[in-house]
Amino acid sequence: MSERPDFMKIALDLARKAGEAGEVPVAALLVHDGEIIASAPNRMRELNDPTAHAEMLALREALGKRSGARLDDCDLYVTLEPCTMCAGAIAHARVRRLYYAARDPKAGAVESGVRFFDQPTCHHRPEVISGIREDEAAEMLRRFFAEKR
Amino acid sequence: MSERPDFMKIALDLARKAGEAGEVPVAALLVHDGEIIASAPNRMRELNDPTAHAEMLALREALGKRSGARLDDCDLYVTLEPCTMCAGAIAHARVRRLYYAARDPKAGAVESGVRFFDQPTCHHRPEVISGIREDEAAEMLRRFFAEKR
């Protein structure tokens, strides 16, 4: 019997490693047909690029492996609610389903902030499933920022 | 006597060339101290990447040339009102001033749509100057889409 892998746990493990390297601990995976086709942690610090969010990197990696410019048969797992930039990118790439762990009231754009997928200027709305391993993801971020202070 | 270059004209020329190559004709420039430090047209089609908007590419190019992760001494010129993804990226990169030509009521996010820079989840608001060479930019886009039909 094959079990569906716990993709959010895999993403959280990747986020934890990024946090140990000094990045804000967030990571994203793209899954097609039960297989991870792209994965990335935040790399803003490493790449000196404030747009190098995990979601942006994973989306580009997945698109680079495909002939079409759509990910409408792919699901994105991310450990934190996507920001406005990333929500825009998720819509552009036509991701089928978005799973995320912790909410981000300060900078999120799905259930927080501009709630982009509910707006008329959003031209593709993924199915959204939030709150998976939320406590674990939130605690990882809390600890990271507490240690920074 | 040295005159300030007409940066929007330069961006429009770049956009026109992109349109001739089949891309949606939009281009962006980053200017520091009167010098263009990065420039890009839309490359979604060429790169098979729906996130390869002119602004994203120009921001990454400029950041790649600098030691800091901020463009707070740089101005961005773009021929079309930035979308939600690009507005988010502009805020993350802390661009000082944003100049754009045509409005984009369908997908823009500055004076249209989510008006991101006016929202509490936006943590940096560039100065915005819009409407420069607006008619020329709008006409270029209109013609491009008319020919596509």
Side-chain angles (χ1 to χ4, degrees), chain B residues 14-15 18 23-24 26-28 39-44 46 52-55 57:
Chain B
L14 194 59
E23 300 284 353
V24 176
V26 175
S39 68
N42 268 346
R43 296 178 65 192
M44 286 108 82
E46 178 197 348
H53 287 199
E55 300 95 310
L57 302 176

Side-chain angles (χ1 to χ4, degrees), chain A residues 48 60 66 106 116 123, chain B residues 48 60 66 84 106 123:
Chain A
N48 189 39
R60 283 212 300 277
R66 311 195 115 206
K106 284 190 191 158
F116 182 54
H123 305 300
Chain B
N48 187 40
R60 283 211 299 279
R66 310 195 116 207
T84 303
K106 284 190 190 156
H123 304 300

Side-chain angles (χ1 to χ4, degrees), chain A residues 44 47-51 53 56 59-60 63-64 66-70 83-90 92-94 104-108 112-116 119-123, chain B residues 44 47-51 53 56 59-60 63-64 66-70 83-90 92-94 104-108 112-116 119-123:
Chain A
M44 286 109 81
L47 300 178
N48 189 39
D49 177 357
T51 72
H53 288 199
M56 298 299 296
L59 289 170
R60 283 212 300 277
L63 289 159
R66 311 195 115 206
S67 55
R70 292 179 167 213
C83 75
T84 303
M85 170 183 73
C86 292
I90 288 163
H92 285 315
R94 301 187 168 269
D104 187 358
K106 284 190 191 158
S112 312
V114 302
R115 299 171 186 264
F116 182 54
Q119 305 304 327
T121 49
C122 177
H123 305 300
Chain B
M44 286 108 82
L47 299 178
N48 187 40
D49 176 358
T51 73
H53 287 199
M56 297 300 295
L59 289 170
R60 283 211 299 279
L63 289 160
R66 310 195 116 207
S67 54
R70 293 180 166 210
C83 76
T84 303
M85 171 184 73
C86 292
I90 289 163
H92 285 316
R94 301 189 168 265
D104 187 359
K106 284 190 190 156
S112 311
V114 303
R115 299 173 186 262
F116 181 54
Q119 305 304 328
T121 49
C122 177
H123 304 300

